Amino acid sequence: LSCIAFKRRYPAARVVAFEPDPALFAALRANVRSFGLRDVALHNQAVWTADARLPFWAEGAFSGRVAMPGDRAGLIEVPAVRLRDYLDRPVDLLKLDVEGAELSILADCADRLANVARLFVEYHAPADGPQRLH
């Protein structure tokens, strides 16, 4: 839905979207097509600190995350790309919603965040730990 909102507000913008969950990616692709959005690059991948394959917990609804110890049901493996590699040029807005992986990814991208004019992070602190995003 954010792709639709951004393209309606900024029709000339180039949007790059990542969604690792195959079912949610199908919905993303269908939404982009049904709204006729142009210049939107869709990637059925997670963003991470490296190009890798990651164990991923697919919630089965509107969320998912990198698998954590103890996760059993709903586990799949997803491809991941290093977000840092996409920040080597000016970025008007980076919206990051990675369900708990924010600190690792931001730390890996730290020296390239100067290329990002605006950063929106949906931060997920561990329930049993302190807030660590300063």
Side-chain angles (χ1 to χ4, degrees), residues 26-48:
L28 168 63
R29 184 176 48 220
N31 282 341
V32 167
R33 285 181 182 163
S34 70
F35 278 82
L37 303 181
R38 305 229 187 285
D39 208 10
V40 177
L42 303 178
H43 300 274
N44 190 192
Q45 301 167 302
V47 293
W48 190 240

Side-chain angles (χ1 to χ4, degrees), residues 47 83 94-98 102 105-106 119-122:
V47 293
L83 179 60
L94 172 61
K95 177 185 173 285
L96 190 62
D97 181 3
V98 289
E102 301 85 8
I105 293 171
L106 288 172
L119 176 63
F120 175 88
V121 178
E122 185 174 321

Side-chain angles (χ1 to χ4, degrees), residues 56-112:
F56 185 83
W57 177 68
E59 177 199 88
F62 301 113
S63 186
R65 60 172 162 67
V66 172
M68 297 173 58
D71 287 342
R72 301 274 186 267
L75 291 179
I76 60 174
E77 188 176 85
V78 299
V81 296
R82 191 176 187 193
L83 179 60
R84 182 182 190 286
D85 295 342
Y86 288 81
L87 303 179
D88 61 349
R89 63 191 66 88
V91 174
D92 290 327
L93 171 67
L94 172 61
K95 177 185 173 285
L96 190 62
D97 181 3
V98 289
E99 306 299 322
E102 301 85 8
L103 296 177
S104 297
I105 293 171
L106 288 172
D108 185 58
C109 297
D111 65 329
R112 293 200 176 170

